Amino acid sequence: VTGGVGLVIHSAAELVTLAGPQRARRGEEMRDLAIVHDGAVAAADGRLAAVGRTAEIRERVADDPALAGIDWREIDASGRCVTPGLVDPHTHLVFAGSRPDEQRLRQAGRGYLEILAAGGGILSTVRATRAAGEAELHRRARRWLHHMAAGGVTTVEAKSGYGLDREAELRQLRVLERLDGEGPVRVVPTVLAAHAVPPEYAGRADAYVDEVAVPLAREAGHTGLARFVDAFCERGVFDVHQSRRALLAGRSAGLGLRLHADELAASGGAALAAELQAASADHLGGVDDDGIEALASVGGATVATLLPITTLYLDHPDAPARRLVEAGIPVAIGSDFNPGTSPAPSMLLALWLARSRLRLDAAEALTAATINAAASLGLAASIGSLEPGKHADLVIWDIASHAELGYWAGVELAHAIVRGGRVMNIDRPSVD
Ligand code: NIG
Ligand code: FE
């Protein structure tokens, strides 16, 4: 590195590095945050050049020939806690419309899948999303992305799945590509054509998978519009065979695999994710002993991505997080942001619920929201911890200790958010 502008953040009460293996952490590893007191980082060219104690980093910046000639900006993080940028590994960011009425229907006794079967639920968002143009979808997604970023998220996974035909699915993916290009948040796109059976294929789920979801997964892979393929594997939606076909089509086109697995009831989803060594098995609110055993048998290859906002909002049982951790399965958490089951684009809320309802401790919850979430996106070597060479994505929090993350709720806790070594300017785009 020679010349250019660099950033030094120094004197942090707690610098939570999460330094360690560049993969998902499991069991006791989830408790090791590798904290540096009076910590500092130096970033240049978007990457972390040095991470350590303030005195050490000052010396490096002054003496290391590799860091000569850089114009350093400084941020004093005294009394504050610094962590890696949060990674939200499961969202449905691009959609039109809203569904506030469905909660009353559920409270009156209608089930989530019953509402879907009657043409509501996901299908009501599909109608609104199909009717919206690309510019409108983009504007709406930006609004929510702003809230995610303001809450400390520097990388977000986001899915299609509200188009359910070629044109509308590709439109969602193009919006994601544009959002990623614009920054400031890194967006990892997933094609989720197997999210629901659209009305034109009613009663013909197999035909929908083979004629729409499979070719779309291939196209999204070959064009680079997606990095992952996902399916909603649930009794009454797509079964294990249909989900497997959609996932394997994506894999054959170079995509990684993730799966909505056993969200509502044991449906063979966790076992399918394990069989295919998917990067992520998501939800798991209804996972059974066989599913847990299957996930445990793949040696950490598949991350269990838990989504506690969804279970809270639906008033459903939470995933058995403690059992998963104790079985040696790496656990991540995400927001699942979407208009039907998680109208809350907030990793801070997910962290709060991870501690209060999933009973993860502060360290486990933060590991789940950073390096393990990154690992579920295949990005553990480049983001998710603060180590030399990795992207300089981090948050300076208005708290002295990570123990207060997932403790205060409904509070804007981020003091500054840094993506690629640059402080984010969190403006507030409006939506008409
Ligand atoms: O992760 N269950 C499937 N997909 C979403 C909900 C989508 C919706 O209801 O619009 C989920 O919960
Ligand atoms: Fe989801």
Side-chain angles (χ1 to χ4, degrees), residues 90 92 159 260 283 307 336 338:
H90 183 137
H92 305 252
K159 305 169 198 301
H260 281 70
H283 283 288
L307 308 165
D336 194 21
N338 76 77

Side-chain angles (χ1 to χ4, degrees), residues 33-127:
L33 297 180
I35 292 172
V36 179
H37 296 281
D38 190 13
V41 303
D45 273 353
R47 303 269 175 172
L48 292 164
V51 180
R53 291 182 58 89
T54 298
E56 234 176 273
I57 299 308
R58 286 203 182 289
E59 265 179 45
R60 279 284 304 280
V61 163
D63 300 341
D64 188 337
L67 300 179
I70 295 173
D71 174 16
W72 296 101
R73 308 266 157 91
E74 293 204 358
I75 299 179
D76 183 346
S78 297
R80 295 200 162 99
C81 168
V82 174
T83 71
L86 302 182
V87 177
D88 190 340
H90 183 137
T91 81
H92 305 252
L93 176 62
V94 182
F95 59 86
S98 63
R99 288 149 49 197
D101 43 314
E102 281 174 22
Q103 193 170 48
R104 285 296 301 139
L105 293 177
R106 284 192 305 273
Q107 286 165 347
R110 313 257 320 264
Y112 175 77
L113 291 179
E114 195 186 331
I115 295 170
L116 173 62
I122 294 171
L123 292 178
S124 111
T125 301
V126 168
R127 281 190 293 278

Side-chain angles (χ1 to χ4, degrees), residues 27-384:
E28 280 301 313
E29 293 174 342
M30 287 186 69
R31 293 218 157 95
D32 184 6
L33 297 180
I35 292 172
V36 179
H37 296 281
D38 190 13
V41 303
D45 273 353
R47 303 269 175 172
L48 292 164
V51 180
R53 291 182 58 89
T54 298
E56 234 176 273
I57 299 308
R58 286 203 182 289
E59 265 179 45
R60 279 284 304 280
V61 163
D63 300 341
D64 188 337
L67 300 179
I70 295 173
D71 174 16
W72 296 101
R73 308 266 157 91
E74 293 204 358
I75 299 179
D76 183 346
S78 297
R80 295 200 162 99
C81 168
V82 174
T83 71
L86 302 182
V87 177
D88 190 340
H90 183 137
T91 81
H92 305 252
L93 176 62
V94 182
F95 59 86
S98 63
R99 288 149 49 197
D101 43 314
E102 281 174 22
Q103 193 170 48
R104 285 296 301 139
L105 293 177
R106 284 192 305 273
Q107 286 165 347
R110 313 257 320 264
Y112 175 77
L113 291 179
E114 195 186 331
I115 295 170
L116 173 62
I122 294 171
L123 292 178
S124 111
T125 301
V126 168
R127 281 190 293 278
T129 302
R130 283 180 171 182
E134 200 163 317
E136 181 189 346
L137 291 176
H138 171 261
R139 197 168 62 243
R140 289 178 183 278
R142 271 214 80 75
R143 171 186 178 188
W144 304 120
L145 197 55
H146 156 79
H147 288 283
M148 294 174 173
V153 169
T154 50
T155 298
V156 61
E157 183 268 7
K159 305 169 198 301
S160 67
Y162 291 127
L164 310 187
D165 63 36
R166 179 173 177 273
E167 276 317 309
E169 286 286 305
L170 293 178
R171 194 184 311 142
Q172 282 191 277
L173 293 173
R174 283 195 303 269
V175 167
L176 294 173
E177 182 178 51
R178 180 168 165 201
L179 292 169
D180 181 53
E182 289 169 343
V185 178
R186 177 184 294 102
V187 179
V188 179
T190 296
V191 57
L192 174 59
H195 193 199
V197 179
E200 61 274 20
Y201 278 92
R204 298 189 295 135
D206 276 310
Y208 173 70
V209 168
D210 296 331
E211 292 167 21
V212 180
V214 161
L216 259 168
R218 291 208 189 101
E219 181 171 1
H222 287 138
T223 56
L225 273 174
R227 268 203 254 166
F228 285 91
V229 56
D230 191 348
F232 187 10
C233 184
E234 191 76 36
R235 215 181 293 152
V237 191
F238 295 105
D239 66 22
V240 167
H241 305 283
Q242 293 157 346
S243 301
R244 187 190 285 111
R245 292 207 297 281
L247 295 190
L248 289 178
R251 173 170 278 174
S252 74
L255 299 180
L257 313 185
R258 26 200 351 98
L259 188 65
H260 281 70
D262 306 332
E263 173 175 358
L264 309 165
S267 311
L272 176 62
E275 170 201 321
L276 301 177
Q277 300 213 3
S280 184
D282 298 49
H283 283 288
L284 303 172
V287 72
D288 60 9
D289 291 351
D290 291 345
I292 294 175
E293 203 179 298
L295 289 172
S297 74
V298 297
T302 301
V303 175
T305 297
L306 309 185
L307 308 165
I309 301 174
T310 299
T311 39
L312 180 74
Y313 187 68
L314 294 180
D315 197 14
H316 285 176
D318 281 307
R322 287 250 59 90
R323 285 190 58 203
L324 295 167
V325 170
E326 273 141 36
I329 299 161
V331 167
I333 57 168
S335 72
D336 194 21
F337 174 60
N338 76 77
T341 68
S342 176
S346 173
M347 277 298 280
L348 286 174
L349 178 57
L351 270 166
W352 195 81
L353 294 170
R355 292 180 64 180
S356 56
R357 304 240 313 174
L358 299 183
R359 298 194 294 129
L360 300 186
D361 70 19
E364 291 169 331
L366 187 55
T367 300
T370 54
I371 189 72
N372 279 9
S376 87
L377 298 176
L379 297 175
S382 57
I383 60 170

